[in-house]
Amino acid sequence: MALIIDTLKAKSKPKAAPKLPENYAPHPTAQTWTRAQVDALFALPFMDLLLKAQTIHREYHAANKVQMSQLLSIKTGGCAEDCGYCNQSAHFDTGLKASKLMDSDVVIAAARKAKAGGAGRFCMGAAWREPKDRDMDALCEMVSEVKAMGLETCMTLGMLSPNQAERLSQSGLDYYNHNIDTAPEDYGRVISTRTFEDRLHTLNLVRESGMKVCCGGIVGMGEQAEDRIGLLLALANLNPAPESVPINALVPVAGTPLGDSKAVHPIEFARLIAVARIMMPESYVRLSAGREEMSDEAQALCFMAGANSIFVGETLLTTDNPSESEDRTLFARLGIEGE
Ligand code: SAM
Ligand code: DTB
Ligand code: SF4
């Protein structure tokens, strides 16, 4: 017994206080948001909400700077999951041609082109429920080669095992994208082949392996207003909040169960971006899928609301995105620079 107490005493010996950085402030997102607080934000008059979001945005981020990520689908279609929004699921007939994992040299060449086009991060996506162990060597090679070019690296490959997360992290993967997509209460309506908890499990492994988390959702899937609040609560109450939060407007694809969904009004979309910015002040909030269908004015409202990241390049994974020249013109009009 005495030995145990001595050991405990030795362990609890006061340590020198850690040296904090000069600009140290407690993690603001460590707060737990309640539904009532988020309801109150959504109930604000639009201009009041936008002003609040823009004010917070400027406290944490450079005004007029937008981060640019480029996507590449490294393995397209034929996916075992049944996500109701996705044209890459093998459960639905969308006419999409499936293909196998791309060779590393093709991926590396695409990353070089993305860098030349101004992208700062290269995000490689695969239509998998989870990667196979036999693909890990090739995936890790892609990560280390893209990283060596001076690009930030991101992958989205579905669920990971602890060993796979560790290997990707060791290869230099900066971010792992794994979206929760909708509120926990709404999850079963959209996807039946996995659970919300499966998503949280992989997100935890990503954190534990030391990678940054990119996690967001989709709006315009026929969800209720309270589901959008539930999505933001689930994202912001992850502790810490994801470093990167992609907000996708559904790109409806004929043949998918959600192919007939009605678009969200641009003002409602900007409102959601503003609430996300306020709830996750430190995070990059990415105006993601759906920009092709948005007017310049709607995108400008989203930047005003605190969006500070976009996907660049004329394709997302399989669907269209504004061209480089359209984005250049928009940025010039708004006085925005790529980060
Ligand atoms: N299979 C992996 C997974 O689901 O995690 C990675 C690729 S998956 C295509 C990545 C994300 O793309 C999904 O989580 C979803 O948020 C988004 N997405 C897929 N189809 C979309 C669509 N039609 N419109 C908007 N976002 C979409
Ligand atoms: C995210 O949240 N959106 C991106 C990325 N993460 C992987 C994907 C959007 C896909 C849109 C449909 C498509 O192009 O296939
Ligand atoms: Fe597969 Fe990802 Fe599409 Fe779901 S979203 S069907 S997991 S590719």
Side-chain angles (χ1 to χ4, degrees), residues 79-83 85-90 92 126-129 158 181 191 194 199:
C79 181
E81 303 269 28
D82 70 350
C83 312
Y85 45 79
C86 185
N87 61 342
Q88 302 203 63
S89 166
F92 321 128
W128 280 328
R129 176 175 164 83
D181 288 321
I191 302 152
R194 59 168 188 260
R199 273 332 232 193

Side-chain angles (χ1 to χ4, degrees), residues 85-86 88 126-128 156-158 177-179 181 194 199 218 248-251 253 289 317:
Y85 45 79
C86 185
Q88 302 203 63
W128 280 328
T156 180
L157 313 168
N177 167 247
H178 202 62
N179 291 342
D181 288 321
R194 59 168 188 260
R199 273 332 232 193
I218 311 180
N248 296 279
L250 176 74
V251 180
V253 182
L317 289 172

Side-chain angles (χ1 to χ4, degrees), residues 70-233:
Q70 174 123 20
L71 280 165
L72 177 70
S73 179
I74 59 170
K75 194 271 162 200
T76 303
C79 181
E81 303 269 28
D82 70 350
C83 312
Y85 45 79
C86 185
N87 61 342
Q88 302 203 63
S89 166
H91 296 255
F92 321 128
D93 185 6
T94 61
L96 183 76
K97 196 171 166 293
S99 57
K100 62 178 187 50
L101 182 62
M102 265 180 193
D103 287 338
S104 307
D105 46 352
V106 180
V107 174
I108 291 157
R112 205 161 279 127
K113 204 162 155 238
K115 185 166 191 227
R121 188 179 308 164
F122 193 63
C123 180
M124 296 157 266
W128 280 328
R129 176 175 164 83
E130 70 258 298
K132 297 209 169 47
D133 282 341
R134 65 162 188 259
D135 291 320
M136 289 309 293
D137 284 347
L139 294 168
C140 291
E141 186 192 355
M142 291 172 196
V143 171
S144 54
E145 294 283 331
V146 173
K147 177 100 177 157
M149 276 175 214
L151 281 165
E152 286 185 313
T153 53
C154 177
M155 274 187 168
T156 180
L157 313 168
M159 298 182 220
L160 295 178
S161 69
N163 184 259
Q164 290 172 338
E166 202 49 51
R167 283 199 62 191
L168 291 169
S169 177
Q170 291 301 321
S171 306
L173 191 60
D174 297 305
Y175 288 82
Y176 195 76
N177 167 247
H178 202 62
N179 291 342
I180 56 170
D181 288 321
T182 188
E185 306 76 32
D186 189 39
Y187 208 71
R189 180 182 68 89
V190 178
I191 302 152
S192 80
T193 49
R194 59 168 188 260
T195 63
F196 192 81
E197 286 65 37
D198 289 332
R199 273 332 232 193
L200 296 183
H201 181 70
T202 294
L203 288 168
N204 276 335
L205 292 176
V206 169
R207 272 268 171 250
E208 279 166 16
S209 72
M211 292 185 281
K212 292 184 201 154
V213 169
C214 172
C215 182
I218 311 180
V219 295
M221 299 193 293
E223 69 284 346
Q224 304 295 307
E226 66 245 36
D227 296 323
R228 294 191 196 144
I229 295 173
L231 166 68
L232 293 180
L233 276 169

Side-chain angles (χ1 to χ4, degrees), residues 175-330:
Y175 288 82
Y176 195 76
N177 167 247
H178 202 62
N179 291 342
I180 56 170
D181 288 321
T182 188
E185 306 76 32
D186 189 39
Y187 208 71
R189 180 182 68 89
V190 178
I191 302 152
S192 80
T193 49
R194 59 168 188 260
T195 63
F196 192 81
E197 286 65 37
D198 289 332
R199 273 332 232 193
L200 296 183
H201 181 70
T202 294
L203 288 168
N204 276 335
L205 292 176
V206 169
R207 272 268 171 250
E208 279 166 16
S209 72
M211 292 185 281
K212 292 184 201 154
V213 169
C214 172
C215 182
I218 311 180
V219 295
M221 299 193 293
E223 69 284 346
Q224 304 295 307
E226 66 245 36
D227 296 323
R228 294 191 196 144
I229 295 173
L231 166 68
L232 293 180
L233 276 169
L235 290 169
N237 287 341
L238 290 171
N239 191 5
E243 282 80 3
S244 183
V245 180
I247 304 291
N248 296 279
L250 176 74
V251 180
V253 182
T256 61
L258 298 173
D260 290 330
S261 306
K262 204 168 144 272
V264 175
H265 192 282
I267 292 183
E268 287 319 307
F269 193 84
R271 199 187 288 279
L272 183 121
I273 298 270
V275 176
R277 163 53 63 227
I278 294 166
M279 293 174 77
M280 295 171 276
E282 289 183 302
S283 308
Y284 278 80
V285 174
R286 183 174 309 122
L287 179 54
S288 302
R291 281 201 308 120
E292 175 72 356
E293 287 72 34
M294 280 179 206
S295 67
D296 283 1
E297 295 86 336
Q299 293 188 60
L301 265 189
C302 290
F303 294 131
M304 184 71 192
N308 60 344
S309 171
I310 57 168
F311 284 122
V312 291
E314 59 193 28
T315 4
L316 291 162
L317 289 172
T318 64
T319 65
D320 293 345
N321 195 45
S323 69
E324 207 186 298
S325 82
E326 282 173 292
D327 281 342
R328 206 177 313 113
T329 308
L330 176 62

